[in-house]
Amino acid sequence: DTCRVCSNCPDHGYRSQLRMKSDGLKLVLENIPEVEGPIEIVNFLSTNFGYNINYSKLVRDNTMCIVEFINLPQKQDALEKLRDFTFKGKKLDVRIYKPPTQNYGN
């Protein structure tokens, strides 16, 4: 039996296949300023760069945001353009997303 929804599954002990496939389209934005929520990051990326975002999530006390792009060319373009970009007075750090390596139970 597989869990199709969770990314780190304490019940099954592995990351869902759906999430694993999309990991290659994700970047992590670090050192982000205070934002209203992940939608503010999505709007910023869409408005200023024309990127289409599938998914975004604030993590680490809202100082980082995981962003999943619609395709690899957009992700690669963002990796280049967002490096050292200033957003709301803070210089962003951008890196490639690396999925968690913890094994939950099994």
Side-chain angles (χ1 to χ4, degrees), residues 33-48:
E34 188 174 322
V35 293
E36 293 295 318
I39 193 65
E40 188 174 348
I41 300 291
V42 170
N43 289 340
F44 160 72
L45 295 172
S46 298
T47 302
N48 292 289

Side-chain angles (χ1 to χ4, degrees), residues 84-104:
D84 298 325
F85 190 86
T86 300
F87 173 52
K88 293 176 76 172
K90 287 186 91 172
K91 189 169 83 170
L92 296 176
D93 295 321
V94 182
R95 65 176 172 83
I96 294 173
Y97 174 78
K98 294 180 183 163
T101 56
Q102 296 172 320
N103 185 358
Y104 292 90

Side-chain angles (χ1 to χ4, degrees), residues 24-103:
L25 298 174
K26 294 178 184 173
L27 291 178
V28 178
L29 307 180
E30 298 177 307
N31 194 39
I32 62 171
E34 188 174 322
V35 293
E36 293 295 318
I39 193 65
E40 188 174 348
I41 300 291
V42 170
N43 289 340
F44 160 72
L45 295 172
S46 298
T47 302
N48 292 289
F49 300 97
Y51 299 137
N52 296 308
I53 307 300
N54 278 336
Y55 168 87
S56 66
K57 179 181 179 180
L58 292 173
V59 294
R60 301 258 171 105
D61 296 325
N62 297 340
T63 60
M64 295 169 53
C65 187
I66 299 169
V67 179
E68 180 185 304
F69 292 82
I70 198 162
N71 59 41
L72 195 54
Q74 283 193 13
K75 173 197 163 185
Q76 292 169 328
D77 188 68
L79 185 60
E80 183 180 314
K81 287 183 179 172
L82 294 175
R83 226 173 236 145
D84 298 325
F85 190 86
T86 300
F87 173 52
K88 293 176 76 172
K90 287 186 91 172
K91 189 169 83 170
L92 296 176
D93 295 321
V94 182
R95 65 176 172 83
I96 294 173
Y97 174 78
K98 294 180 183 163
T101 56
Q102 296 172 320
N103 185 358

